[in-house]
Amino acid sequence: MTRYILFFLLTALFSCSNGKADPENIIFSMFVNHSLNERKTELNKIRSEIEFVSGSKAYNCNSYLRWIKKKKIKEDVKNSLVRSEYLICDVLYLLQGKTYIKEEGNKNNMILLAKRLDITTFSSSLRPLVVEKRRTLDEISGNKLIISNDKIIFEQDDWIYQLKLVAKADINNNQKTDWVLWFSDEAKDGNYRNYQTLIVYDIESGRPLIKASAFP
């Protein structure tokens, strides 16, 4: 019995000596939660065809993930519209092999993003709204933001933007929490659409502004 007690004490001591415990992986979307539970089905589900610059085409998550890390999506109206169907594929890839829990969103998370996310760190039609040092949604929106527990909506006369927090997880396996976001950028008139999966690495780093990287 003494040997077993010693073993568990040494195991606990070793775990503590390796620094911070693994961040808790959290899903905020019922849709994503269901897709993760039905991963194989979701990966094989037939979607609208999306084309890459090389000429390669994808029609489900499996074929899309085969090319997305190597090739660039062809920039045209059709692909821009279809891209929204493949955002779930990005998340299935980023969260593969991870355990997670489902939780309701927290408005404080979205307020933090509104006040600290640097919108110049990813591609969008928001760029022309950036003036001098004003580069967050809170600073450029003129109090027009609608903030809920899991999303931010910024609506103008001719444009609508939405930022949704999908998950918190240690994406790059460095024992620090990363946030996975979905961003939509849509013109009310015309065919302009821009859909992206964004990753905020090491959210707790203490930087005054938060950078977002587009997947992949």
mmCIF file of all heavy atoms in Angstrom, residues 8 12 21 25 52 63 69 75 81 85-86 90 99 111 117 136 140 174 195 200 211:
data_model
loop_
_atom_site.group_PDB
_atom_site.id
_atom_site.type_symbol
_atom_site.label_atom_id
_atom_site.label_comp_id
_atom_site.label_asym_id
_atom_site.label_seq_id
_atom_site.Cartn_x
_atom_site.Cartn_y
_atom_site.Cartn_z
ATOM 1 N N PHE A 8 1.554 7.591 -6.473
ATOM 2 C CA PHE A 8 0.614 8.654 -6.793
ATOM 3 C C PHE A 8 1.138 10.019 -6.385
ATOM 4 O O PHE A 8 0.938 11.012 -7.073
ATOM 5 C CB PHE A 8 -0.738 8.387 -6.120
ATOM 6 C CG PHE A 8 -1.522 7.294 -6.780
ATOM 7 C CD1 PHE A 8 -1.885 6.154 -6.080
ATOM 8 C CD2 PHE A 8 -1.885 7.392 -8.112
ATOM 9 C CE1 PHE A 8 -2.595 5.136 -6.696
ATOM 10 C CE2 PHE A 8 -2.605 6.389 -8.740
ATOM 11 C CZ PHE A 8 -2.960 5.248 -8.027
ATOM 12 N N ALA A 12 1.797 13.108 -9.016
ATOM 13 C CA ALA A 12 1.229 14.449 -8.826
ATOM 14 C C ALA A 12 2.327 15.501 -8.814
ATOM 15 O O ALA A 12 2.189 16.573 -9.404
ATOM 16 C CB ALA A 12 0.436 14.493 -7.519
ATOM 17 N N ALA A 21 -1.428 23.182 -16.053
ATOM 18 C CA ALA A 21 -2.173 22.023 -16.550
ATOM 19 C C ALA A 21 -2.771 22.338 -17.915
ATOM 20 O O ALA A 21 -2.874 23.499 -18.310
ATOM 21 C CB ALA A 21 -3.280 21.669 -15.568
ATOM 22 N N ASN A 25 -10.725 22.488 -22.783
ATOM 23 C CA ASN A 25 -11.267 22.701 -24.110
ATOM 24 C C ASN A 25 -12.780 22.836 -24.016
ATOM 25 O O ASN A 25 -13.468 21.960 -23.488
ATOM 26 C CB ASN A 25 -10.888 21.532 -25.016
ATOM 27 C CG ASN A 25 -9.379 21.361 -25.130
ATOM 28 O OD1 ASN A 25 -8.641 22.343 -25.206
ATOM 29 N ND2 ASN A 25 -8.919 20.130 -25.131
ATOM 30 N N PHE A 52 -9.837 25.204 -55.895
ATOM 31 C CA PHE A 52 -8.563 25.807 -55.510
ATOM 32 C C PHE A 52 -7.859 26.362 -56.750
ATOM 33 O O PHE A 52 -8.176 25.981 -57.870
ATOM 34 C CB PHE A 52 -7.694 24.777 -54.798
ATOM 35 C CG PHE A 52 -8.256 24.335 -53.468
ATOM 36 C CD1 PHE A 52 -9.254 23.364 -53.413
ATOM 37 C CD2 PHE A 52 -7.823 24.904 -52.284
ATOM 38 C CE1 PHE A 52 -9.797 22.964 -52.199
ATOM 39 C CE2 PHE A 52 -8.358 24.520 -51.068
ATOM 40 C CZ PHE A 52 -9.351 23.550 -51.029
ATOM 41 N N SER A 63 -11.923 15.939 -48.643
ATOM 42 C CA SER A 63 -11.200 16.438 -49.818
ATOM 43 C C SER A 63 -10.745 17.879 -49.601
ATOM 44 O O SER A 63 -9.656 18.282 -50.031
ATOM 45 C CB SER A 63 -12.066 16.323 -51.080
ATOM 46 O OG SER A 63 -13.333 16.907 -50.893
ATOM 47 N N LYS A 69 -4.350 23.022 -46.684
ATOM 48 C CA LYS A 69 -3.055 23.346 -46.069
ATOM 49 C C LYS A 69 -1.954 23.534 -47.123
ATOM 50 O O LYS A 69 -0.874 24.024 -46.813
ATOM 51 C CB LYS A 69 -2.645 22.237 -45.101
ATOM 52 C CG LYS A 69 -3.637 21.993 -43.976
ATOM 53 C CD LYS A 69 -3.413 22.843 -42.757
ATOM 54 C CE LYS A 69 -2.170 22.515 -42.019
ATOM 55 N NZ LYS A 69 -2.043 23.297 -40.765
ATOM 56 N N GLU A 75 -10.218 32.660 -55.838
ATOM 57 C CA GLU A 75 -11.020 33.815 -55.449
ATOM 58 C C GLU A 75 -12.019 34.171 -56.540
ATOM 59 O O GLU A 75 -11.678 34.812 -57.535
ATOM 60 C CB GLU A 75 -10.104 35.004 -55.140
ATOM 61 C CG GLU A 75 -9.208 34.793 -53.919
ATOM 62 C CD GLU A 75 -8.366 36.007 -53.590
ATOM 63 O OE1 GLU A 75 -8.511 37.040 -54.291
ATOM 64 O OE2 GLU A 75 -7.555 35.941 -52.645
ATOM 65 N N LEU A 81 -19.044 32.346 -51.778
ATOM 66 C CA LEU A 81 -20.344 31.979 -51.227
ATOM 67 C C LEU A 81 -20.296 30.608 -50.562
ATOM 68 O O LEU A 81 -20.884 30.382 -49.507
ATOM 69 C CB LEU A 81 -21.410 31.992 -52.328
ATOM 70 C CG LEU A 81 -21.752 33.359 -52.928
ATOM 71 C CD1 LEU A 81 -22.661 33.186 -54.140
ATOM 72 C CD2 LEU A 81 -22.423 34.246 -51.894
ATOM 73 N N GLU A 85 -19.760 26.886 -46.006
ATOM 74 C CA GLU A 85 -20.090 25.482 -45.767
ATOM 75 C C GLU A 85 -18.903 24.699 -45.213
ATOM 76 O O GLU A 85 -19.088 23.629 -44.628
ATOM 77 C CB GLU A 85 -20.554 24.817 -47.068
ATOM 78 C CG GLU A 85 -21.852 25.364 -47.638
ATOM 79 C CD GLU A 85 -22.268 24.615 -48.886
ATOM 80 O OE1 GLU A 85 -22.038 23.380 -48.961
ATOM 81 O OE2 GLU A 85 -22.828 25.256 -49.802
ATOM 82 N N TYR A 86 -17.697 25.234 -45.396
ATOM 83 C CA TYR A 86 -16.487 24.495 -45.031
ATOM 84 C C TYR A 86 -15.852 24.992 -43.728
ATOM 85 O O TYR A 86 -14.829 24.461 -43.313
ATOM 86 C CB TYR A 86 -15.479 24.566 -46.183
ATOM 87 C CG TYR A 86 -15.907 23.728 -47.371
ATOM 88 C CD1 TYR A 86 -16.772 24.232 -48.323
ATOM 89 C CD2 TYR A 86 -15.466 22.413 -47.512
ATOM 90 C CE1 TYR A 86 -17.189 23.461 -49.401
ATOM 91 C CE2 TYR A 86 -15.863 21.631 -48.579
ATOM 92 C CZ TYR A 86 -16.734 22.163 -49.520
ATOM 93 O OH TYR A 86 -17.147 21.379 -50.576
ATOM 94 N N ASP A 90 -12.806 23.226 -40.914
ATOM 95 C CA ASP A 90 -11.653 23.819 -40.223
ATOM 96 C C ASP A 90 -11.651 23.419 -38.756
ATOM 97 O O ASP A 90 -10.622 23.020 -38.198
ATOM 98 C CB ASP A 90 -11.694 25.349 -40.322
ATOM 99 C CG ASP A 90 -11.657 25.882 -41.738
ATOM 100 O OD1 ASP A 90 -11.215 25.143 -42.639
ATOM 101 O OD2 ASP A 90 -12.071 27.037 -41.933
ATOM 102 N N THR A 99 -10.409 16.207 -26.167
ATOM 103 C CA THR A 99 -11.633 16.081 -25.389
ATOM 104 C C THR A 99 -12.124 17.482 -25.054
ATOM 105 O O THR A 99 -11.332 18.426 -24.982
ATOM 106 C CB THR A 99 -11.380 15.294 -24.089
ATOM 107 O OG1 THR A 99 -10.354 15.948 -23.327
ATOM 108 C CG2 THR A 99 -10.929 13.869 -24.401
ATOM 109 N N ILE A 111 -17.187 40.910 -25.219
ATOM 110 C CA ILE A 111 -16.807 42.289 -24.908
ATOM 111 C C ILE A 111 -15.290 42.440 -25.010
ATOM 112 O O ILE A 111 -14.777 43.433 -25.539
ATOM 113 C CB ILE A 111 -17.303 42.689 -23.501
ATOM 114 C CG1 ILE A 111 -18.831 42.770 -23.491
ATOM 115 C CG2 ILE A 111 -16.690 44.014 -23.053
ATOM 116 C CD1 ILE A 111 -19.433 42.985 -22.115
ATOM 117 N N LEU A 117 -9.605 43.003 -29.964
ATOM 118 C CA LEU A 117 -9.200 42.325 -31.190
ATOM 119 C C LEU A 117 -8.783 43.334 -32.252
ATOM 120 O O LEU A 117 -9.571 44.188 -32.662
ATOM 121 C CB LEU A 117 -10.340 41.457 -31.719
ATOM 122 C CG LEU A 117 -10.038 40.700 -33.023
ATOM 123 C CD1 LEU A 117 -8.899 39.700 -32.822
ATOM 124 C CD2 LEU A 117 -11.283 40.004 -33.546
ATOM 125 N N THR A 136 -10.058 48.511 -33.282
ATOM 126 C CA THR A 136 -10.901 47.461 -32.714
ATOM 127 C C THR A 136 -12.350 47.712 -33.121
ATOM 128 O O THR A 136 -12.720 48.839 -33.505
ATOM 129 C CB THR A 136 -10.814 47.420 -31.178
ATOM 130 O OG1 THR A 136 -11.404 48.602 -30.650
ATOM 131 C CG2 THR A 136 -9.366 47.312 -30.710
ATOM 132 N N ILE A 140 -14.254 51.471 -33.885
ATOM 133 C CA ILE A 140 -14.682 51.907 -35.218
ATOM 134 C C ILE A 140 -16.192 51.852 -35.427
ATOM 135 O O ILE A 140 -16.696 52.391 -36.415
ATOM 136 C CB ILE A 140 -14.018 51.051 -36.327
ATOM 137 C CG1 ILE A 140 -14.558 49.629 -36.286
ATOM 138 C CG2 ILE A 140 -12.499 51.077 -36.198
ATOM 139 C CD1 ILE A 140 -14.143 48.796 -37.483
ATOM 140 N N ASN A 174 0.764 24.279 -26.605
ATOM 141 C CA ASN A 174 1.815 24.917 -25.809
ATOM 142 C C ASN A 174 1.343 25.222 -24.391
ATOM 143 O O ASN A 174 1.907 26.071 -23.701
ATOM 144 C CB ASN A 174 2.306 26.193 -26.502
ATOM 145 C CG ASN A 174 1.251 27.288 -26.522
ATOM 146 O OD1 ASN A 174 0.068 27.043 -26.261
ATOM 147 N ND2 ASN A 174 1.665 28.497 -26.837
ATOM 148 N N TYR A 195 -15.825 34.637 -45.671
ATOM 149 C CA TYR A 195 -16.012 33.807 -44.482
ATOM 150 C C TYR A 195 -14.665 33.208 -44.089
ATOM 151 O O TYR A 195 -13.948 32.672 -44.932
ATOM 152 C CB TYR A 195 -17.010 32.682 -44.753
ATOM 153 C CG TYR A 195 -18.358 33.172 -45.237
ATOM 154 C CD1 TYR A 195 -18.728 33.038 -46.569
ATOM 155 C CD2 TYR A 195 -19.254 33.771 -44.362
ATOM 156 C CE1 TYR A 195 -19.961 33.482 -47.019
ATOM 157 C CE2 TYR A 195 -20.489 34.222 -44.801
ATOM 158 C CZ TYR A 195 -20.833 34.069 -46.137
ATOM 159 O OH TYR A 195 -22.055 34.532 -46.580
ATOM 160 N N VAL A 200 -7.112 32.909 -32.364
ATOM 161 C CA VAL A 200 -6.374 33.817 -31.481
ATOM 162 C C VAL A 200 -5.504 32.943 -30.588
ATOM 163 O O VAL A 200 -6.011 32.241 -29.713
ATOM 164 C CB VAL A 200 -7.321 34.675 -30.626
ATOM 165 C CG1 VAL A 200 -6.512 35.553 -29.677
ATOM 166 C CG2 VAL A 200 -8.234 35.519 -31.506
ATOM 167 N N LYS A 211 -4.225 39.556 -31.564
ATOM 168 C CA LYS A 211 -4.042 39.254 -32.984
ATOM 169 C C LYS A 211 -4.818 37.994 -33.355
ATOM 170 O O LYS A 211 -4.863 37.042 -32.578
ATOM 171 C CB LYS A 211 -2.566 39.070 -33.310
ATOM 172 C CG LYS A 211 -1.714 40.303 -33.086
ATOM 173 C CD LYS A 211 -0.268 40.039 -33.437
ATOM 174 C CE LYS A 211 0.600 41.275 -33.228
ATOM 175 N NZ LYS A 211 2.024 41.028 -33.578
#
